[in-house]
Short mmCIF file of all heavy atoms in Angstrom, two decimals:
data_model
loop_
_atom_site.label_atom_id
_atom_site.label_comp_id
_atom_site.label_asym_id
_atom_site.label_seq_id
_atom_site.Cartn_x
_atom_site.Cartn_y
_atom_site.Cartn_z
N ASN A 1454 1.33 -29.85 15.13
CA ASN A 1454 1.97 -29.95 13.83
C ASN A 1454 2.50 -31.38 13.68
O ASN A 1454 2.69 -32.14 14.65
CB ASN A 1454 3.14 -28.98 13.71
CG ASN A 1454 3.56 -28.75 12.26
OD1 ASN A 1454 4.27 -29.58 11.75
ND2 ASN A 1454 3.14 -27.64 11.69
N GLU A 1455 2.80 -31.81 12.43
CA GLU A 1455 3.22 -33.21 12.17
C GLU A 1455 4.66 -33.48 12.58
O GLU A 1455 5.05 -34.59 12.79
CB GLU A 1455 3.00 -33.49 10.72
CG GLU A 1455 1.58 -33.54 10.26
CD GLU A 1455 1.40 -33.91 8.80
OE1 GLU A 1455 2.34 -33.65 8.04
OE2 GLU A 1455 0.37 -34.38 8.40
N VAL A 1456 5.45 -32.41 12.71
CA VAL A 1456 6.86 -32.65 13.05
C VAL A 1456 7.05 -32.39 14.59
O VAL A 1456 6.52 -31.45 15.16
CB VAL A 1456 7.76 -31.71 12.21
CG1 VAL A 1456 7.46 -30.25 12.49
CG2 VAL A 1456 9.24 -32.01 12.46
N LYS A 1457 7.96 -33.27 15.17
CA LYS A 1457 8.32 -33.04 16.57
C LYS A 1457 9.85 -33.17 16.58
O LYS A 1457 10.48 -34.05 16.04
CB LYS A 1457 7.74 -34.18 17.46
CG LYS A 1457 6.21 -34.13 17.49
CD LYS A 1457 5.70 -35.25 18.37
CE LYS A 1457 4.16 -35.24 18.47
NZ LYS A 1457 3.64 -36.31 19.28
N PHE A 1458 10.42 -32.17 17.37
CA PHE A 1458 11.89 -32.17 17.44
C PHE A 1458 12.37 -32.75 18.75
O PHE A 1458 11.86 -32.36 19.83
CB PHE A 1458 12.42 -30.73 17.23
CG PHE A 1458 12.19 -30.24 15.83
CD1 PHE A 1458 11.16 -29.37 15.50
CD2 PHE A 1458 13.07 -30.65 14.80
CE1 PHE A 1458 10.98 -28.90 14.26
CE2 PHE A 1458 12.88 -30.24 13.55
CZ PHE A 1458 11.84 -29.39 13.22
N ARG A 1459 13.36 -33.59 18.68
CA ARG A 1459 14.08 -34.18 19.82
C ARG A 1459 15.46 -33.66 19.89
O ARG A 1459 16.26 -33.78 19.02
CB ARG A 1459 14.08 -35.73 19.65
CG ARG A 1459 14.79 -36.48 20.80
CD ARG A 1459 14.94 -37.92 20.46
NE ARG A 1459 13.67 -38.61 20.16
CZ ARG A 1459 13.57 -39.87 19.89
NH1 ARG A 1459 14.60 -40.68 19.86
NH2 ARG A 1459 12.40 -40.38 19.67
N PHE A 1460 15.77 -32.91 20.96
CA PHE A 1460 17.10 -32.29 21.13
C PHE A 1460 18.03 -33.26 21.84
O PHE A 1460 17.69 -33.67 22.95
CB PHE A 1460 16.92 -30.96 21.87
CG PHE A 1460 16.39 -29.83 21.02
CD1 PHE A 1460 15.00 -29.78 20.78
CD2 PHE A 1460 17.20 -28.88 20.45
CE1 PHE A 1460 14.48 -28.81 19.97
CE2 PHE A 1460 16.67 -27.88 19.63
CZ PHE A 1460 15.28 -27.83 19.42
N VAL A 1461 19.07 -33.60 21.22
CA VAL A 1461 19.99 -34.65 21.74
C VAL A 1461 21.39 -34.00 21.99
O VAL A 1461 22.06 -33.51 21.10
CB VAL A 1461 20.16 -35.80 20.73
CG1 VAL A 1461 21.11 -36.86 21.30
CG2 VAL A 1461 18.77 -36.43 20.38
N LEU A 1462 21.80 -34.07 23.25
CA LEU A 1462 23.15 -33.59 23.63
C LEU A 1462 24.10 -34.77 23.69
O LEU A 1462 23.80 -35.73 24.45
CB LEU A 1462 23.08 -32.87 25.00
CG LEU A 1462 22.03 -31.76 25.16
CD1 LEU A 1462 22.19 -31.12 26.53
CD2 LEU A 1462 22.16 -30.72 24.04
N VAL A 1463 25.16 -34.72 22.97
CA VAL A 1463 26.12 -35.82 22.91
C VAL A 1463 27.27 -35.56 23.88
O VAL A 1463 28.06 -34.62 23.67
CB VAL A 1463 26.62 -36.09 21.47
CG1 VAL A 1463 27.65 -37.22 21.49
CG2 VAL A 1463 25.44 -36.37 20.59
N GLU A 1464 27.37 -36.33 24.92
CA GLU A 1464 28.49 -36.24 25.91
C GLU A 1464 28.73 -34.85 26.41
O GLU A 1464 29.87 -34.31 26.37
CB GLU A 1464 29.72 -36.90 25.36
CG GLU A 1464 29.59 -38.37 25.06
CD GLU A 1464 30.93 -39.05 24.68
OE1 GLU A 1464 31.91 -38.33 24.48
OE2 GLU A 1464 30.95 -40.26 24.64
N PRO A 1465 27.69 -34.11 26.87
CA PRO A 1465 27.92 -32.82 27.41
C PRO A 1465 28.78 -32.86 28.60
O PRO A 1465 28.84 -33.74 29.41
CB PRO A 1465 26.47 -32.31 27.79
CG PRO A 1465 25.71 -33.59 28.01
CD PRO A 1465 26.27 -34.59 27.07
N GLU A 1466 29.57 -31.80 28.78
CA GLU A 1466 30.61 -31.74 29.88
C GLU A 1466 30.28 -30.87 31.04
O GLU A 1466 30.81 -31.07 32.14
CB GLU A 1466 31.89 -31.25 29.25
CG GLU A 1466 32.39 -32.12 28.09
CD GLU A 1466 33.44 -31.38 27.20
OE1 GLU A 1466 33.86 -30.32 27.60
OE2 GLU A 1466 33.80 -31.96 26.17
N GLY A 1467 29.33 -29.92 30.88
CA GLY A 1467 29.05 -29.02 32.00
C GLY A 1467 27.65 -29.04 32.45
O GLY A 1467 26.68 -28.85 31.59
N PRO A 1468 27.41 -29.21 33.73
CA PRO A 1468 25.97 -29.17 34.25
C PRO A 1468 25.25 -27.80 34.06
O PRO A 1468 24.05 -27.82 33.85
CB PRO A 1468 26.22 -29.56 35.74
CG PRO A 1468 27.58 -29.10 36.03
CD PRO A 1468 28.35 -29.40 34.79
N MET A 1469 26.06 -26.76 34.07
CA MET A 1469 25.38 -25.45 33.85
C MET A 1469 24.84 -25.29 32.46
O MET A 1469 23.78 -24.71 32.21
CB MET A 1469 26.44 -24.30 34.17
CG MET A 1469 26.86 -24.27 35.60
SD MET A 1469 28.03 -22.90 35.97
CE MET A 1469 29.49 -23.48 35.11
N ASN A 1470 25.60 -25.79 31.48
CA ASN A 1470 25.13 -25.79 30.10
C ASN A 1470 23.89 -26.67 29.93
O ASN A 1470 22.93 -26.28 29.24
CB ASN A 1470 26.20 -26.34 29.15
CG ASN A 1470 26.95 -25.16 28.48
OD1 ASN A 1470 26.41 -24.08 28.32
ND2 ASN A 1470 28.17 -25.44 28.01
N ILE A 1471 23.84 -27.77 30.56
CA ILE A 1471 22.70 -28.69 30.49
C ILE A 1471 21.45 -27.99 31.04
O ILE A 1471 20.36 -28.01 30.51
CB ILE A 1471 22.98 -29.99 31.15
CG1 ILE A 1471 24.09 -30.77 30.48
CG2 ILE A 1471 21.72 -30.89 31.23
CD1 ILE A 1471 24.55 -32.04 31.16
N GLY A 1472 21.64 -27.35 32.18
CA GLY A 1472 20.53 -26.63 32.80
C GLY A 1472 20.03 -25.49 31.97
O GLY A 1472 18.83 -25.32 31.77
N ALA A 1473 20.99 -24.74 31.32
CA ALA A 1473 20.62 -23.69 30.39
C ALA A 1473 19.88 -24.17 29.19
O ALA A 1473 18.95 -23.48 28.72
CB ALA A 1473 21.84 -22.93 30.03
N VAL A 1474 20.30 -25.32 28.68
CA VAL A 1474 19.63 -25.93 27.53
C VAL A 1474 18.20 -26.26 27.90
O VAL A 1474 17.27 -25.98 27.08
CB VAL A 1474 20.36 -27.15 27.04
CG1 VAL A 1474 19.49 -27.97 26.08
CG2 VAL A 1474 21.70 -26.79 26.36
N ALA A 1475 17.91 -26.85 29.02
CA ALA A 1475 16.62 -27.15 29.50
C ALA A 1475 15.74 -25.92 29.53
O ALA A 1475 14.57 -25.93 29.07
CB ALA A 1475 16.61 -27.83 30.82
N ARG A 1476 16.33 -24.83 30.03
CA ARG A 1476 15.57 -23.55 30.10
C ARG A 1476 15.17 -23.05 28.75
O ARG A 1476 14.09 -22.61 28.48
CB ARG A 1476 16.37 -22.53 30.85
CG ARG A 1476 15.71 -21.18 31.05
CD ARG A 1476 16.59 -20.25 31.89
NE ARG A 1476 15.93 -18.99 32.07
CZ ARG A 1476 16.43 -17.97 32.71
NH1 ARG A 1476 17.58 -18.13 33.39
NH2 ARG A 1476 15.73 -16.86 32.95
N VAL A 1477 16.16 -23.09 27.84
CA VAL A 1477 15.91 -22.64 26.43
C VAL A 1477 14.84 -23.43 25.78
O VAL A 1477 13.95 -22.91 25.12
CB VAL A 1477 17.19 -22.69 25.65
CG1 VAL A 1477 16.94 -22.59 24.11
CG2 VAL A 1477 18.13 -21.57 26.04
N LEU A 1478 14.87 -24.71 25.94
CA LEU A 1478 13.92 -25.61 25.29
C LEU A 1478 12.48 -25.31 25.81
O LEU A 1478 11.50 -25.25 25.01
CB LEU A 1478 14.19 -27.05 25.48
CG LEU A 1478 15.49 -27.57 24.86
CD1 LEU A 1478 15.68 -29.07 25.08
CD2 LEU A 1478 15.52 -27.24 23.38
N LYS A 1479 12.32 -24.99 27.09
CA LYS A 1479 11.00 -24.66 27.64
C LYS A 1479 10.61 -23.34 27.18
O LYS A 1479 9.38 -23.08 26.91
CB LYS A 1479 11.08 -24.70 29.14
CG LYS A 1479 9.73 -24.56 29.76
CD LYS A 1479 9.66 -25.17 31.19
CE LYS A 1479 8.19 -25.19 31.72
NZ LYS A 1479 8.09 -25.86 33.02
N ASN A 1480 11.56 -22.38 27.00
CA ASN A 1480 11.22 -21.08 26.44
C ASN A 1480 10.46 -21.19 25.10
O ASN A 1480 9.54 -20.42 24.86
CB ASN A 1480 12.46 -20.24 26.19
CG ASN A 1480 13.11 -19.68 27.51
OD1 ASN A 1480 14.24 -19.44 27.53
ND2 ASN A 1480 12.23 -19.43 28.52
N PHE A 1481 10.89 -22.14 24.29
CA PHE A 1481 10.32 -22.22 22.93
C PHE A 1481 9.30 -23.40 22.81
O PHE A 1481 8.98 -23.78 21.62
CB PHE A 1481 11.47 -22.31 21.90
CG PHE A 1481 12.26 -21.07 21.87
CD1 PHE A 1481 13.54 -20.95 22.45
CD2 PHE A 1481 11.76 -19.93 21.26
CE1 PHE A 1481 14.28 -19.81 22.39
CE2 PHE A 1481 12.49 -18.78 21.27
CZ PHE A 1481 13.71 -18.69 21.80
N GLY A 1482 8.99 -23.98 23.90
CA GLY A 1482 7.93 -24.99 23.88
C GLY A 1482 8.31 -26.37 23.54
O GLY A 1482 7.44 -27.21 23.19
N PHE A 1483 9.64 -26.71 23.56
CA PHE A 1483 10.05 -28.07 23.27
C PHE A 1483 10.15 -28.90 24.52
O PHE A 1483 10.55 -28.35 25.54
CB PHE A 1483 11.41 -28.07 22.52
CG PHE A 1483 11.41 -27.37 21.18
CD1 PHE A 1483 11.87 -26.07 21.02
CD2 PHE A 1483 10.90 -28.03 20.09
CE1 PHE A 1483 11.79 -25.48 19.78
CE2 PHE A 1483 10.86 -27.42 18.86
CZ PHE A 1483 11.30 -26.14 18.70
N LYS A 1484 9.86 -30.21 24.43
CA LYS A 1484 9.79 -31.02 25.67
C LYS A 1484 10.71 -32.23 25.58
O LYS A 1484 10.92 -32.87 26.60
CB LYS A 1484 8.32 -31.52 25.84
CG LYS A 1484 7.35 -30.39 26.07
CD LYS A 1484 5.95 -30.98 26.29
CE LYS A 1484 4.94 -29.83 26.51
NZ LYS A 1484 3.58 -30.37 26.72
N GLN A 1485 11.31 -32.53 24.43
CA GLN A 1485 12.12 -33.71 24.34
C GLN A 1485 13.63 -33.40 24.45
O GLN A 1485 14.23 -32.86 23.55
CB GLN A 1485 11.90 -34.40 23.01
CG GLN A 1485 10.50 -34.93 22.83
CD GLN A 1485 10.38 -35.91 21.66
OE1 GLN A 1485 11.08 -36.93 21.54
NE2 GLN A 1485 9.47 -35.57 20.72
N LEU A 1486 14.17 -33.73 25.59
CA LEU A 1486 15.60 -33.57 25.83
C LEU A 1486 16.22 -34.93 26.14
O LEU A 1486 15.86 -35.65 27.07
CB LEU A 1486 15.91 -32.65 27.06
CG LEU A 1486 17.28 -32.44 27.51
CD1 LEU A 1486 18.17 -31.90 26.38
CD2 LEU A 1486 17.43 -31.55 28.73
N HIS A 1487 17.12 -35.34 25.24
CA HIS A 1487 17.87 -36.62 25.38
C HIS A 1487 19.33 -36.34 25.52
O HIS A 1487 19.89 -35.39 24.85
CB HIS A 1487 17.63 -37.46 24.14
CG HIS A 1487 16.16 -37.89 24.01
ND1 HIS A 1487 15.78 -39.26 24.06
CD2 HIS A 1487 14.99 -37.21 23.79
CE1 HIS A 1487 14.45 -39.30 23.88
NE2 HIS A 1487 13.98 -38.12 23.78
N ILE A 1488 19.97 -37.05 26.35
CA ILE A 1488 21.40 -36.86 26.62
C ILE A 1488 22.20 -38.19 26.46
O ILE A 1488 21.80 -39.21 27.04
CB ILE A 1488 21.67 -36.26 28.08
CG1 ILE A 1488 20.81 -34.98 28.19
CG2 ILE A 1488 23.09 -36.06 28.30
CD1 ILE A 1488 20.89 -34.42 29.60
N VAL A 1489 23.21 -38.17 25.68
CA VAL A 1489 24.03 -39.36 25.40
C VAL A 1489 25.27 -39.32 26.26
O VAL A 1489 26.14 -38.37 26.16
CB VAL A 1489 24.40 -39.42 23.92
CG1 VAL A 1489 25.28 -40.67 23.70
CG2 VAL A 1489 23.17 -39.47 23.05
N ASN A 1490 25.45 -40.33 27.09
CA ASN A 1490 26.67 -40.51 27.89
C ASN A 1490 27.20 -39.23 28.46
O ASN A 1490 28.35 -38.77 28.17
CB ASN A 1490 27.72 -41.20 27.01
CG ASN A 1490 28.91 -41.68 27.81
OD1 ASN A 1490 28.84 -41.98 29.02
ND2 ASN A 1490 30.05 -41.81 27.12
N PRO A 1491 26.45 -38.56 29.35
CA PRO A 1491 26.89 -37.25 29.93
C PRO A 1491 28.21 -37.44 30.71
O PRO A 1491 28.41 -38.42 31.40
CB PRO A 1491 25.71 -36.82 30.82
CG PRO A 1491 25.02 -38.12 31.12
CD PRO A 1491 25.19 -39.02 29.86
N LYS A 1492 29.07 -36.40 30.64
CA LYS A 1492 30.35 -36.44 31.36
C LYS A 1492 30.24 -35.64 32.69
O LYS A 1492 31.25 -35.23 33.26
CB LYS A 1492 31.44 -35.83 30.53
CG LYS A 1492 31.66 -36.59 29.19
CD LYS A 1492 31.96 -38.07 29.48
CE LYS A 1492 32.22 -38.80 28.20
NZ LYS A 1492 32.55 -40.25 28.38
N CYS A 1493 29.02 -35.43 33.16
CA CYS A 1493 28.79 -34.67 34.39
C CYS A 1493 27.47 -35.12 34.97
O CYS A 1493 26.70 -35.81 34.36
CB CYS A 1493 28.87 -33.17 34.13
SG CYS A 1493 27.53 -32.60 33.04
N LYS A 1494 27.21 -34.62 36.15
CA LYS A 1494 25.92 -34.96 36.81
C LYS A 1494 24.86 -34.01 36.23
O LYS A 1494 24.87 -32.80 36.56
CB LYS A 1494 26.00 -34.80 38.30
CG LYS A 1494 26.94 -35.85 38.97
CD LYS A 1494 26.93 -35.70 40.48
CE LYS A 1494 27.79 -36.75 41.11
NZ LYS A 1494 27.78 -36.53 42.66
N ILE A 1495 23.95 -34.53 35.43
CA ILE A 1495 22.93 -33.64 34.80
C ILE A 1495 21.82 -33.18 35.72
O ILE A 1495 21.16 -32.20 35.44
CB ILE A 1495 22.29 -34.39 33.61
CG1 ILE A 1495 21.42 -35.44 34.12
CG2 ILE A 1495 23.33 -34.92 32.64
CD1 ILE A 1495 20.42 -36.02 33.01
N LYS A 1496 21.73 -33.80 36.88
CA LYS A 1496 20.74 -33.40 37.87
C LYS A 1496 21.38 -32.88 39.14
O LYS A 1496 20.90 -33.05 40.23
CB LYS A 1496 19.81 -34.50 38.18
CG LYS A 1496 18.98 -35.00 36.97
CD LYS A 1496 18.04 -36.14 37.27
CE LYS A 1496 17.33 -36.56 35.97
NZ LYS A 1496 16.42 -37.69 36.22
N SER A 1497 22.51 -32.15 38.90
CA SER A 1497 23.23 -31.52 40.03
C SER A 1497 22.59 -30.19 40.40
O SER A 1497 21.67 -29.69 39.76
CB SER A 1497 24.68 -31.32 39.58
OG SER A 1497 24.73 -30.38 38.55
N LYS A 1498 23.06 -29.65 41.49
CA LYS A 1498 22.56 -28.35 41.96
C LYS A 1498 22.80 -27.27 40.93
O LYS A 1498 21.93 -26.42 40.75
CB LYS A 1498 23.28 -28.02 43.27
CG LYS A 1498 22.77 -26.70 43.91
CD LYS A 1498 23.54 -26.39 45.23
CE LYS A 1498 23.05 -25.06 45.81
NZ LYS A 1498 23.75 -24.81 47.09
#
Side-chain angles (χ1 to χ4, degrees):
N1454 197 283
E1455 292 181 335
V1456 62
K1457 295 180 181 179
F1458 290 102
R1459 178 186 304 182
F1460 286 77
V1461 181
L1462 308 183
V1463 179
E1464 297 189 349
E1466 302 162 6
M1469 292 182 292
N1470 259 336
I1471 295 174
V1474 166
R1476 180 177 182 177
V1477 163
L1478 294 184
K1479 189 157 188 176
N1480 284 151
F1481 294 105
F1483 296 102
K1484 297 180 179 179
Q1485 294 193 57
L1486 175 59
H1487 294 244
I1488 303 175
V1489 179
N1490 192 22
K1492 299 302 180 181
C1493 60
K1494 293 182 179 180
I1495 68 166
K1496 298 181 181 180
S1497 64
K1498 181 178 179 181

